[in-house]
Amino acid sequence: MGVGKVHRLGTSLKEGDVRRLRVGDVVYLSGELYTMRDIAHLRAIEILRGKKRLPFDLRGKVIYHCGPIVRGTEVVSAGPTTSMRMERTEADLVHLSGLRAIVGKGGMGRGTLEALRKFGAVYLEYPGGVGALAARSSKGVKKSYWRDLGDPEAVWVIAVEDFGPCFVTMDSHGETLRKSA
Amino acid sequence: MKAHEVAEALRVLETDLPRDVEEGLQGCLRREGGNSREVMKAIVENVRYARERSIPMCQDTGTLVFFVRCAERQSEVVDVIRKGVELATKEVPLRANTVNPFTRKNEGRNLGRNNPIVHFEGEACEKGKISMDILARGAGSENVSGAFMLQPDLGAAGIKNIVLEAVRMAGARPCPPIIVGVGVGGTLEWSAYLAKRALLRPLNERAEDPLAAELEEGLLSEVNRLGIGPMGFGGRTTALGARVEWAHCHTASLPVAVSVQCWALRRVSAEWEGSEFRILR
């Protein structure tokens, strides 16, 4: 994969912001990331299907497949987790929550790719295992939700500055880096 | 042997990548281009920064696996290891990864039933001396590992095929460039143990056995022909090395286990002689 265009984005995104991004582009994010893994996806979908509101509004926001190490409000290490574990639930979350970007690693499947195209969202990859550098670009925990799930599975709202490189590997036009997805 | 010494070994394990692995990553950085190169730059910089700041290089501080040699008092050794893990979880800090497999409840201490994993090894050990190797195994790579019972007549070609298939199926998920640990022979569980143990041997040391060494070289070049590349972005380096350990097995069996290891091959050795404690790198 060649080096693509570089974009610097905030984390309250409009459809047009993500429709501009193409596979191979590189994104640096400044704003807030909502960490969400396996169980947080299930719980969020259950709430949204019941026509209730989440305690945090994901419309236009960026979620991060990550279970960080946190000490107080300090983010100690916070790289991405394997996104494929969320494949079964991601399309529903994109649809129901109105999120605009997902950050993870390892790629996702056809269900997510189709949801990104249909609802105008994008999948980005931060280098796996790069937890220390991710913490360096984080400015601390702003809030946390669903702590009953245990630290790795809880939702942490992490403030970030120039968080990247995040590589666009699935865009909102049905394109994907890995053709076998 | 003291809990704070175990915790210190765990801090080194999680924050300071062994030099042979770091050199492998630097070699990969030199070979790759495009976004694969950008990924490798971030990884190499992350290793340096984590060591400098003494913070875990990866937020997944893993399941902790101990390979222990000691002549006596095994239950006391397990007790000190558990206390050390609990202490390290607070002080390094480690992420609390350990949950009940049925309820998924996390008690936040990285302790549970039969966890951390402690293997006592049969190797001779002097009285009064304890030595151990520790691995931190993240879920991304553990989840794509497996053990297979092959037909013996499939031979070396069968072993290669099953390993390549496992690596191909794993794709980008285990955070390549990977290290491939392979256990051949023994029984189902013994092959899995050997595959993990194979990851302890440095990347610049070949297997002693000529057939195992040949398998290691063959596997490395074939895995790298898969083209998965750093983080699955494509490239010449999918693996930094392949490591094979083996045992004799039943005449009707050919167990083969593959322990896929992410680029962050976190291993450390420690030993105690009387009250003297040393971390070996």
Side-chain angles (χ1 to χ4, degrees):
Chain A
M1 182 165 65
V3 182
K5 251 202 226 167
V6 176
H7 307 258
R8 295 189 188 271
L9 297 177
T11 56
S12 287
L13 299 165
K14 298 201 168 56
E15 184 171 352
D17 297 329
V18 299
R19 292 281 184 200
R20 272 198 290 280
L21 304 175
R22 298 285 176 163
V23 166
D25 287 359
V26 181
V27 176
Y28 290 82
L29 295 165
S30 296
E32 291 173 354
L33 306 178
Y34 291 74
T35 72
M36 292 184 80
R37 293 164 51 113
D38 318 50
I39 312 177
H41 274 68
L42 291 173
R43 187 178 282 185
I45 288 166
E46 194 188 329
I47 292 170
L48 293 166
R49 279 215 181 107
K51 307 279 179 215
K52 291 194 199 111
R53 280 190 180 177
L54 295 180
F56 43 93
D57 188 358
L58 287 179
R59 276 174 298 179
K61 302 295 186 198
V62 182
I63 67 162
Y64 184 20
H65 294 158
C66 169
I69 302 176
V70 168
R71 181 165 43 194
T73 60
E74 177 204 1
V75 177
V76 178
S77 192
T81 193
T82 310
S83 296
M84 267 313 270
R85 291 202 318 278
M86 277 60 79
E87 176 58 22
R88 272 180 299 153
T89 48
E90 202 68 88
D92 284 345
L93 189 68
V94 170
H95 175 203
L96 295 168
S97 74
L99 67 85
R100 289 287 176 207
I102 302 157
V103 183
K105 62 119 176 150
M108 298 196 74
R110 290 189 181 285
T112 301
L113 185 63
E114 177 56 19
L116 299 177
R117 190 190 61 75
K118 200 164 164 190
F119 302 106
V122 68
Y123 173 70
L124 310 166
E125 291 187 41
Y126 187 87
V130 179
L133 287 193
R136 186 170 71 180
S137 54
S138 109
K139 304 295 150 201
V141 173
K142 305 263 296 244
K143 269 187 171 176
S144 62
Y145 300 92
W146 299 347
R147 296 287 297 276
D148 61 298
L149 299 180
D151 280 2
E153 308 295 331
V155 175
W156 302 90
V157 185
I158 298 177
V160 293
E161 212 173 287
D162 277 327
F163 180 87
C166 298
F167 302 92
V168 179
T169 65
M170 296 168 85
D171 65 24
S172 63
H173 308 280
E175 290 301 315
T176 170
L177 170 71
R178 303 178 186 90
K179 303 300 175 208
S180 57
Chain B
M1 184 181 166
K2 301 278 193 323
H4 72 85
E5 293 162 343
V6 174
E8 174 58 15
L10 293 172
R11 189 190 61 75
V12 172
L13 171 75
E14 301 284 1
T15 63
D16 187 358
L17 192 73
R19 302 297 155 130
D20 61 307
V21 183
E22 189 175 17
E23 279 163 20
L25 294 170
Q26 286 161 346
C28 174
L29 167 63
R30 285 193 293 271
R31 282 188 294 277
E32 302 297 341
N35 278 345
S36 300
R37 183 178 172 77
E38 297 307 305
V39 160
M40 289 313 302
K41 276 189 203 162
I43 289 175
V44 167
E45 168 66 2
N46 184 67
V47 168
R48 188 200 62 74
Y49 183 70
R51 183 183 291 133
E52 178 191 304
R53 297 291 309 273
S54 198
I55 53 178
M57 62 191 87
C58 179
Q59 78 294 335
D60 185 354
T61 46
T63 294
L64 299 168
V65 186
F66 294 78
F67 300 85
V68 184
R69 275 85 50 194
C70 69
E72 53 195 353
R73 299 183 301 161
Q74 294 193 347
S75 66
E76 276 174 53
V77 169
V78 172
D79 195 46
V80 178
I81 286 175
R82 292 177 70 89
K83 290 194 172 99
V85 167
E86 187 170 15
L87 191 61
T89 300
K90 268 188 258 163
E91 291 188 350
V92 175
L94 309 181
R95 194 174 72 184
N97 282 334
T98 306
V99 303
N100 177 304
F102 304 112
T103 64
R104 311 305 294 183
K105 191 171 157 47
N106 188 334
E107 289 180 6
R109 299 186 302 157
N110 276 320
L111 295 180
R113 180 184 163 96
N114 293 325
N115 197 311
I117 316 297
V118 184
H119 297 289
F120 284 99
E121 305 199 299
E123 221 172 278
C125 189
E126 290 164 44
K127 240 182 149 184
K129 198 169 163 182
I130 300 165
S131 75
M132 62 176 70
D133 300 293
I134 315 172
L135 277 177
R137 285 283 295 177
S141 42
E142 188 76 7
N143 284 350
V144 295
S145 299
F148 313 91
M149 303 304 281
L150 301 188
Q151 288 218 148
D153 63 354
L154 291 173
I159 298 171
K160 248 186 220 169
N161 284 342
I162 200 86
V163 175
L164 285 172
E165 186 59 14
V167 172
R168 199 181 61 76
M169 291 299 289
R173 285 177 290 163
C175 287
I178 56 172
I179 297 91
V180 189
V182 182
V184 179
T187 50
L188 175 72
E189 86 288 0
W190 198 243
S191 67
Y193 164 78
L194 291 172
K196 200 152 278 175
R197 205 180 193 300
L199 299 169
L200 298 176
R201 180 152 42 86
L203 295 176
N204 42 23
E205 268 178 38
R206 294 164 51 116
E208 274 176 31
D209 180 85
L211 291 176
E214 194 185 315
L215 183 57
E216 287 181 353
E217 277 163 34
L219 277 173
L220 179 60
S221 65
E222 289 194 39
V223 164
N224 281 335
R225 270 202 290 275
L226 293 174
I228 295 167
M231 287 301 146
F233 286 4
R236 292 159 65 188
T237 324
T238 296
L240 303 178
R243 285 289 167 267
V244 176
E245 290 290 335
W246 62 281
H248 281 79
C249 62
H250 191 287
T251 181
S253 292
L254 178 53
V256 178
V258 188
S259 187
V260 178
Q261 170 64 53
C262 63
W263 65 257
L265 201 186
R266 287 156 288 175
R267 56 166 135 74
V268 73
S269 306
E271 65 177 34
W272 286 261
E273 233 174 318
S275 61
E276 197 189 328
F277 162 64
R278 273 191 301 273
I279 291 175
L280 311 169
R281 289 323 292 264

